[in-house]
RNA sequence: GCAGGGAUACUCAAGCGGCCAAAGAGGGGGGUCUGUAAAACCCCUGCCCGUGCGGCUACGCAGGUUCGAAUCCUGCUCCCUGCACCA
């Protein structure tokens, strides 16, 4: 192994949980270098989540490292699987997207993905391209190449099977479809989080049974969401999107539990944990948050977000860039006061007047930095009056 | 096909004629405190009304019984579990 290859391997290995098998990765890298053909590095996208979050960013950055070594990223868009829907979330009847919507989503997705990936070495492939033409005979052929026992190796399946809880056949089809994607694009390497390990391994097995050289599975760690418990995911809502405004990112990142700081620093920033290790947790978080914002926006944006956060939450001062809301003139009494409930409800910060009343009773409402203690109160109105609801919602109210 | 079980608020899940806007948990929100949108503790969590032992809407759908139904009856839809069937 030459020095260059060794260095490449070290880079690629860094920050992964597992590479299955590592020896094959070396072989593939060597071969690629020798014949001058880039490796095909596959990554499946979740078509239901058009917002890329920083957890998924971890995998994308790994993919970028492959690109920087001259390899090709192949992103699989689950156009077909998306249309079939996932039976595991039973009640939610997902609306079928039109072709235009799918395209618009994909455009937005690309815009986000290219914050990390190199467009010149990226291909997007829609799996309807091949899955749509997989007729029943071919499907049977595919299913004959994997066993039920193999499927039951997945812990979730075997557990449910033992318990006698239902597993629909379609659930076996998903990993197979995903594996077939690998066959279709002749993937050399597939990336995925630890939750995808099983699926990636099936891809490997299936490729082999189709006479292809099996892909190497590169497993990256999963990032817990800002709730600190569950994995970061769009559907749980505990995520930080890479496209979110800096201030929002900052707030969310500051709210992660302290125990997660180290993991965040290591996974989503390029800061060196050793230099932060002995700092105060609050400082660690600030630096982490700034690094993330710098990565996805800019250094200046990071500094501005920090400054704003200090202003609003540490010094409790008036925030900048507060959203504007409008109040119907008819609600003014004697041209100078408003019922507090009407004012709050005009901001659109609350879902209902009942909620507004509840919040007022709980002392969550301030008007021009004065706390309101009764929902029957009238407050003086002036243009641009600042309304604060809870710790983090603000609005400036003007007359309409 | 036969036999059982089930469908309750954002989610899970109690309730099985009135005391039910419906226990409990999770989630979400608020307050206090602080180091922060952390932790901890307390509180709230259907909607409407200038708020009262107030009104309205809600316990799968449609009817019925009853002074009164989430709770009982009838029909329907959907789901699950056994058993049977199995090219």
């Amino acid at each position: 192994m030459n020095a260059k290859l060794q260095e490449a391997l070290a880079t690629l290995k860094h920050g992964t949980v597992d590479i299955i098998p590592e020896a094959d990765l070396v072989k593939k890298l060597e071969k690629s270098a020798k014949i001058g053909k880039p490796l095909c590095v596959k990554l499946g996208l979740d078509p239901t989540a058009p917002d890329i979050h920083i957890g998924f960013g971890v995998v994308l950055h790994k993919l970028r490292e492959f690109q920087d070594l001259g390899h090709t990223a192949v992103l699989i868009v689950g156009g077909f699987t998306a249309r079939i829907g996932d039976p595991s979330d039973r009640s939610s009847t997902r609306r079928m997207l039109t072709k235009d919507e799918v395209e618009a989503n994909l455009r937005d997705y690309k815009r986000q993905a290219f914050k990390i990936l190199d467009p010149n070495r990226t291909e997007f492939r829609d799996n309807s391209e091949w899955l749509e033409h997989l007729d029943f005979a071919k499907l049977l052929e595919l299913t004959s190449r994997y066993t039920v026992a193999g499927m039951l190796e997945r812990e979730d399946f075997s557990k449910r099977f033992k318990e006698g809880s239902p597993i629909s056949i379609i659930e076996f089809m998903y990993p197979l479809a995903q594996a077939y994607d690998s066959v279709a694009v002749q993937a050399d390497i597939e990336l995925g989080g630890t939750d995808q390990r099983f699926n990636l391994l099936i891809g490997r097995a299936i490729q082999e049974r189709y006479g292809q050289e099996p892909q190497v599975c590169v497993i990256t760690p999963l990032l817990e969401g800002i709730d600190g418990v569950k994995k970061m995911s769009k559907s749980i809502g505990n995520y930080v999107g890479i496209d979110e405004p800096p201030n929002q990112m900052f707030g969310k990142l500051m709210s992660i539990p302290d125990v997660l700081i180290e993991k965040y620093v290591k996974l989503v920033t390029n800061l060196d944990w050793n230099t932060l290790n002995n700092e105060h947790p609050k400082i660690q978080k600030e630096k982490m948050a700034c690094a993330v914002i710098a990565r996805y926006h800019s250094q200046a944006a990071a500094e501005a977000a920090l400054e704003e956060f200090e202003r609003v939450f540490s010094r409790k001062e008036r925030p900048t860039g507060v959203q504007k809301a409008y109040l119907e003139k008819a609600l003014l009494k004697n041209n100078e006061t408003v019922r507090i409930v009407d004012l709050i409800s005009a901001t659109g910060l609350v879902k209902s007047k009942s909620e507004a009343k509840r919040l007022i009773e709980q002392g969550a409402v301030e008007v021009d930095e004065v706390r309101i203690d009764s929902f029957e109160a009238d407050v003086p109105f002036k243009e641009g009056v600042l309304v604060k609801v809870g710790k983090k919602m603000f609005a400036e109210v003007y007359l309409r």
Side-chain angles (χ1 to χ4, degrees), chain A residues 129-398:
Chain A
E129 224 178 282
W130 48 87
L131 292 182
E132 220 154 51
H133 304 109
L134 194 68
D135 62 30
F136 196 63
K138 288 192 195 138
L139 178 65
L140 290 183
E141 194 197 339
L142 171 61
T143 57
S144 73
R145 294 178 200 230
Y146 209 73
T147 62
V148 173
M151 281 293 169
L152 290 178
E153 276 173 33
R154 185 165 125 181
E155 206 189 321
D156 171 55
F157 284 153
S158 59
K159 190 168 148 248
R160 284 158 65 196
F161 185 69
K162 275 185 215 135
E163 283 172 356
S165 45
I167 302 170
S168 87
I169 305 289
I170 194 174
E171 294 188 66
F172 284 174
M173 300 311 292
Y174 278 100
L176 287 181
Q178 206 171 316
Y180 193 74
D181 290 344
S182 291
V183 174
V185 303
Q186 303 199 26
D188 289 302
I189 292 166
E190 178 162 7
L191 260 53
T194 51
D195 59 336
Q196 292 297 315
R197 174 188 228 109
F198 180 82
N199 292 345
L200 302 202
L201 285 171
I202 293 188
R204 213 177 129 72
I206 293 291
Q207 276 179 312
E208 207 166 12
R209 284 158 210 178
Y210 273 85
Q212 290 185 12
E213 189 181 298
Q215 64 187 13
V216 172
C217 309
V218 175
I219 315 289
T220 57
L222 280 191
L223 185 65
E224 283 86 351
I226 54 176
D227 60 344
V229 184
K230 295 188 217 96
K231 72 171 182 184
M232 184 172 282
S233 105
K234 165 95 182 179
S235 50
I236 302 172
N238 60 354
Y239 69 103
V240 179
I242 67 170
D243 211 27
E244 284 183 37
N247 288 346
Q248 199 176 322
M249 270 190 177
F250 199 96
K252 283 188 178 181
L253 290 167
M254 286 303 279
S255 80
I256 64 167
D258 289 2
V259 290
L260 238 49
I261 300 174
E262 182 177 348
K263 191 161 186 189
Y264 267 65
V265 167
K266 287 182 174 167
L267 291 183
V268 299
T269 75
N270 37 29
L271 299 175
D272 180 8
W273 175 248
N274 292 326
T275 65
L276 281 179
N277 200 189
N278 296 318
E279 303 261 26
H280 187 286
K282 189 196 171 208
I283 304 294
Q284 293 175 336
K285 273 194 206 177
E286 283 176 355
K287 290 193 172 161
M288 180 274 291
C290 281
V292 173
I293 295 166
R295 174 179 263 191
Y296 294 111
H297 294 280
S298 66
Q299 186 57 40
E303 281 159 22
L306 171 62
E307 161 59 24
E308 178 74 4
F309 190 84
E310 298 263 281
R311 184 219 313 281
V312 179
F313 298 108
S314 301
R315 303 201 297 271
K316 312 273 184 222
E317 291 170 12
R318 187 181 179 118
T320 56
V322 176
Q323 68 168 86
K324 294 183 168 56
Y326 298 91
L327 180 77
E328 294 294 339
K329 218 173 254 148
L331 292 169
L332 267 194
K333 291 162 65 173
N334 305 325
N335 237 295
E336 50 190 30
T337 63
V338 219
R339 293 197 55 214
I340 181 65
V341 174
D342 290 332
L343 216 212
I344 301 306
S345 131
T347 62
L349 262 23
V350 293
K351 286 199 292 286
S352 66
K353 288 191 180 177
S354 296
E355 187 182 13
K357 289 173 182 176
R358 220 181 279 138
L359 287 165
I360 295 163
E361 264 179 342
Q362 292 178 145
V365 170
E366 282 179 23
V367 174
D368 273 341
E369 327 220 339
V370 178
R371 177 169 297 191
I372 308 298
D373 48 22
S374 160
F375 61 72
E376 293 182 324
D378 288 332
V379 296
F381 181 84
K382 65 169 203 288
E383 288 285 329
V385 63
L386 180 72
V387 174
K388 180 182 180 193
V389 178
K391 273 179 271 210
K392 53 196 179 207
M393 292 190 295
F394 298 88
E396 281 172 7
V397 185
Y398 297 87

Side-chain angles (χ1 to χ4, degrees), chain A residues 78-87 94 96 170 174:
Chain A
F80 190 75
T81 24
R83 262 183 287 159
I84 309 305
D86 186 343
R94 198 181 298 139
M96 240 173 81
I170 194 174
Y174 278 100

Side-chain angles (χ1 to χ4, degrees), chain A residues 89-101:
Chain A
D89 64 281
R90 36 196 63 194
S91 53
S92 67
T93 43
R94 198 181 298 139
R95 196 172 60 94
M96 240 173 81
L97 296 178
T98 66
K99 215 168 169 217
D100 286 355
E101 285 173 312

